[in-house]
Amino acid sequence: MVRAGRRGSGEPAAAAKSAAAEHAAGGGGDARKETAQPRTDEDPTRAASAAARAALARAGAERRKAARGSSHPRRTRRKAPRQSAAPNSAEAQGRSTTTSASAAAQQPGPATGAARPTPPEDLRRTFPAAALDTSPNATPNTSPAQSGKSRPARRDANTDSAAASWWGSAWITALEESALDPARLARGRDYAGQGHVDAITVTPGLVLAYVHGSRPRPYRTKIALPTFTDEEWDRFLDAAVARPGHIAALLDRQMPHSLADCGVSLLPGPGDLHPECSCPDSGRPCKHAAALCYRTARLLDEDPFVLLLMRGRGERRLLGELSRRNATLAARTDKPRTPARLPGVRASEALAPRSLPPLPRPLSPLPHPEQPPAYPAAPGGPDPLALDQLATDAATRAHTLLATGQDPVAGLTLWQDAVRLAAARPGSGLTATGRGLYESLAAAADRTPGDLARAVAAWRQGGLEGLAVLEEPWDPPAGRFDQARPALRAAEFPLFTPWRNRLTHPAGTLQLRLGHDSLWYAYESEPGHDDWWPRGTPDHDPVGALTALTPGR
């Protein structure tokens, strides 16, 4: 009726408009009575107008009813039609699909501008078997149900299943150090390299996967690992934010050594991994658990956050904690601090003129240095006589420095000090004890024991100046050196040959050397050897210096 009224409402409406115009022009009549109850004995035009108005009213009522029905639909229960005992399943499925689609279409969707809720932290990560294999020669892992065979498709036997990072190697070390049978580890390594491990699921404290063995049905294998307490996580996070390089390394999927060992043992140790498997093998671990461990090491190589998830927290939560702690640390560090007042004295007080008490007089030095204690001889230890000599020399130098304020040997070179120490030792280095001392001192000065013995003779002859006469020829000024040859000639010595500060006997056995102290030093050598050794006592007279060497003259 509504649709018929709508289609026929055009003509009655026109008729109604003309009827209303005529009624207004005529100025009389009870129009509402005629509209409400049209009579058949009246004018046909008015009857048509009344019928048109009634149709418009019914059409408006139907539209309002339809609008109310669309906003608040009423649920009506209809009786299901009778069906046969065995209905067609395809038709039933079609009806079910249609009903579900209609219900879904009637449910209002979420607002477009509404904020999307934040998903909870992901504490479960699954790594497909294809993602675990990084070798170019590996083939996809196919389950027995897909391939129709009893075992998965094998990868290349040369695929290396060992870890590439140091933290992955530490994971494998924890497995191998707690294993009881190396043969099972070798089988597990082969299983890992040949693709027997299916997808790996990692949750806090657990690593789970199905591992294919010799039977058609794979074994359920898992590895348990202790998780961190809240206190341990606090220590780990504090250590991570203490150095900016730690956070940068984690974001770069690296694990610094200092972060892995920051007071909390992040990497597992021997006995921390607890493998379990549904296979009948009672080994600890079995080859299936070993294969899972080797493949897990590859996961740790790619992402160290997998290890942190095993310890109890996911990547999203850890990054949030690190961000908050890092911001707190930065705010605490950037906070201006009032510098502490340093203890001290004001400059005006320190520079104020004042009278200071005189310094106490130094103690008078002892008349002579005391003797050092005796050092017992020990097998393989230093020479007690050498220790006694060094202690005596140190005491003598300290006594001289205290009495005069000067160190007598402060300006000596290493070689000169070695000669001084050797000259202070009685003997000439021919005994076993003296020979050891000469060898050690000569080696320290990069000289030979023979050079040291000759220098000791020169030191004993004239001290530091005597050593200079031995080793340093020089050109003396005219005068005293030129007067030496006539004096020797007058003493019936042959004519000596001059060279710089030296006068040599024609036979090559005697020699006089003039020092900077104007003293003549006598030397003696075997004929024809030119091997000069200091002899006698220095003298201002060249004849007197040679008298001790030529007692018959």
Side-chain angles (χ1 to χ4, degrees), residues 196-468:
H196 287 251
V197 182
D198 281 347
I200 298 178
T201 300
V202 181
T203 57
L206 188 65
V207 181
L208 176 65
Y210 283 92
V211 181
H212 294 270
S214 58
R215 299 182 180 180
R217 185 174 182 178
Y219 299 105
R220 190 175 186 269
T221 308
K222 63 180 181 179
I223 301 171
L225 180 67
T227 57
F228 283 170
T229 62
D230 292 340
E231 181 182 358
E232 290 174 332
W233 275 117
D234 287 339
R235 292 205 301 267
F236 175 81
L237 294 173
D238 290 340
V241 300
R243 297 174 59 181
H246 288 165
I247 301 179
L250 287 177
L251 294 178
D252 200 23
R253 295 302 188 263
Q254 297 292 326
M255 177 62 67
H257 287 271
S258 56
L259 184 59
D261 189 11
C262 59
V264 180
S265 181
L266 180 62
L267 295 169
D272 289 344
L273 301 180
H274 305 283
E276 294 183 14
C277 186
S278 60
C279 70
D281 190 358
S282 61
R284 181 179 177 85
C286 64
K287 52 183 174 293
H288 312 101
L292 177 57
C293 279
Y294 283 119
R295 299 307 288 172
T296 305
R298 283 295 185 88
L299 296 180
L300 301 181
D301 289 341
E302 299 295 331
D303 190 357
F305 279 100
V306 176
L307 179 60
L308 297 174
L309 176 59
M310 295 179 192
R311 289 300 191 178
R313 292 190 181 180
E315 179 178 357
R316 185 183 308 143
R317 180 179 178 183
L318 285 176
L319 293 180
E321 285 286 341
L322 291 175
S323 178
R324 285 191 293 272
R325 290 175 183 253
N326 191 33
T328 303
L329 180 62
R332 189 185 305 118
T333 304
D334 296 340
K335 184 178 180 180
R337 299 181 180 180
T338 303
R341 185 175 181 180
L342 299 177
V345 181
R346 297 181 62 88
S348 58
E349 298 177 4
L351 299 177
R354 55 181 176 174
S355 59
L356 298 177
L359 295 176
R361 297 183 60 183
L363 299 176
S364 58
L366 298 176
H368 56 80
E370 297 292 336
Q371 291 292 331
Y375 298 95
D383 183 10
L385 296 179
L387 289 177
D388 180 79
Q389 179 183 357
L390 292 176
T392 303
D393 179 73
T396 304
R397 292 176 57 187
H399 182 269
T400 305
L401 181 62
L402 183 62
T404 63
Q406 296 180 354
D407 187 359
V409 297
L412 298 183
T413 63
L414 177 62
W415 168 243
Q416 293 170 350
D417 194 39
V419 174
R420 182 187 66 84
L421 291 175
R425 181 70 175 269
S428 58
L430 298 179
T431 62
T433 305
R435 186 165 54 251
L437 176 63
Y438 274 50
E439 289 177 354
S440 60
L441 291 175
D446 198 15
R447 299 291 185 92
T448 63
D451 296 337
L452 181 60
R454 194 191 311 271
V456 166
W459 188 279
R460 290 174 179 173
Q461 185 186 35
L464 184 60
E465 184 61 29
L467 182 60

Side-chain angles (χ1 to χ4, degrees), residues 67-93:
R68 287 195 303 269
S70 62
S71 59
H72 300 284
R74 296 181 60 186
R75 297 182 179 179
T76 58
R77 300 182 60 183
R78 298 180 181 181
K79 294 183 180 181
R82 294 182 180 179
Q83 299 178 357
S84 59
N88 190 348
S89 59
E91 296 177 358
Q93 184 176 3

Side-chain angles (χ1 to χ4, degrees), residues 458-526:
W459 188 279
R460 290 174 179 173
Q461 185 186 35
L464 184 60
E465 184 61 29
L467 182 60
V469 170
L470 172 67
E471 298 180 340
E472 300 173 2
W474 60 290
D475 295 324
R480 190 173 185 81
F481 185 79
D482 296 336
Q483 297 172 2
R485 294 181 68 193
L488 291 173
R489 187 64 177 167
E492 298 182 355
F493 282 97
L495 186 61
F496 280 63
T497 304
W499 181 78
R500 305 191 73 177
N501 65 325
R502 300 174 184 178
L503 296 175
T504 306
H505 192 278
T509 57
L510 297 176
Q511 188 179 84
L512 287 175
R513 299 185 182 184
L514 181 62
H516 291 278
D517 53 359
S518 300
L519 294 178
W520 290 96
Y521 294 81
Y523 279 75
E524 189 177 17
S525 175
E526 293 293 333

Side-chain angles (χ1 to χ4, degrees), residues 163-212:
S165 62
W166 72 267
W167 57 90
S169 300
W171 171 275
I172 294 178
T173 302
L175 165 71
E176 295 177 347
E177 289 184 355
S178 59
L180 302 179
D181 187 4
R184 287 186 172 89
L185 293 180
R187 292 289 304 278
R189 182 186 291 267
D190 293 340
Y191 273 26
Q194 296 169 358
H196 287 251
V197 182
D198 281 347
I200 298 178
T201 300
V202 181
T203 57
L206 188 65
V207 181
L208 176 65
Y210 283 92
V211 181
H212 294 270

